[in-house]
Structure formats: C-alpha cells, structure tokens
Amino acid sequence: PTWAFDAATRTPHEGCVGNPGETFALVRDLLALRRERAPLHRGDYVELWRPGGSGVPLYAFTRAVGAERVFVALTTGAVDKRIPLEDNPRLRRRFPDATLRDLLGRDDARAEIRGGSLHVVMPANGIAVFVLPEA
C-alpha cells in the first residue's frame, strides 16, 4: 500500500498482520539479497523439506549457480530439524561439515551441516537465507 513507503505512515493499519515497519524492512532486505545473490533468482532448485503430514512446520530448499549455493528456510512454528542431504539424489554432491551463516543477520535462526545432514533451528514464523561460511 502507498502508506508503506513513508516511514511516518508505516504504522499498524486495519487488516495488517504484524508490524508494518518490520515487514517493510524484511521485504527490503530480501529484495537486496535477491539482487546480490544469483541463486536467489536463477539456477538449480532442490526442495529439502516441506511440511506435508510430518507435523514439522518447515519449508526448506537450496538453490545454486555454479559454486554459489544458498539454503532457504521458512517456518510457521518453532523448528529443530535434521534434514538428510546425502540421501537426496538431486543434490549430487557431499557438503562439508560447517556452521552456516544467515545472510539476514538474525541470531534466532541457526543451521549447520554435520555428517551429511542439514540441522535447522528456528523460531516460529521465521525466515533465513543461509550460506556456507566461505560464501
């Protein structure tokens, strides 16, 4: 909406979910990441996890362009989930053990790769864009 573009009018409005200022900042940050990181707008896509009937409220995927790879996770509920990577035939590679870095800079989302699995820990209603440390 037009009121969202002016910080003075970016206050709670009827029908808004959450804090409009926080939502505006998140969308701004996500758009900047999309411009900066090729895998967020092109390249291969591999789904890692979706809720389905599992009861785990997590949607996770990875995208890559050349050697650059991102892992994206979105949650509706708190999550502490290990996702096997080596069993996924679409990945066709092994990943080194590493603590991933969240490009959004939030401390409440964590991910690491250990023993061929991606371990994601996130709060409810979270979003994270993770990269391997050297990226």
Side-chain angles (χ1 to χ4, degrees), residues 41-55:
H41 57 87
R42 62 185 174 94
D44 77 345
Y45 164 89
V46 178
E47 186 174 89
L48 300 174
W49 188 265
R50 74 169 98 168
S54 71

Side-chain angles (χ1 to χ4, degrees), residues 62-80:
T62 183
R63 291 192 69 166
V65 172
E68 186 177 5
R69 178 170 297 275
V70 295
F71 295 86
V72 178
L74 303 108
T75 66
T76 56
V79 167
D80 185 336

Side-chain angles (χ1 to χ4, degrees), residues 68-109:
E68 186 177 5
R69 178 170 297 275
V70 295
F71 295 86
V72 178
L74 303 108
T75 66
T76 56
V79 167
D80 185 336
K81 175 70 181 160
R82 289 191 187 282
I83 303 167
L85 298 176
E86 291 183 358
D87 297 345
N88 191 323
R90 296 205 47 224
L91 288 175
R92 291 175 272 175
R93 70 168 279 204
R94 290 182 174 252
F95 294 94
D97 286 358
T99 299
L100 280 69
R101 182 170 51 97
D102 180 9
L103 294 176
L104 292 172
R106 297 178 173 187
D107 294 331
D108 56 356

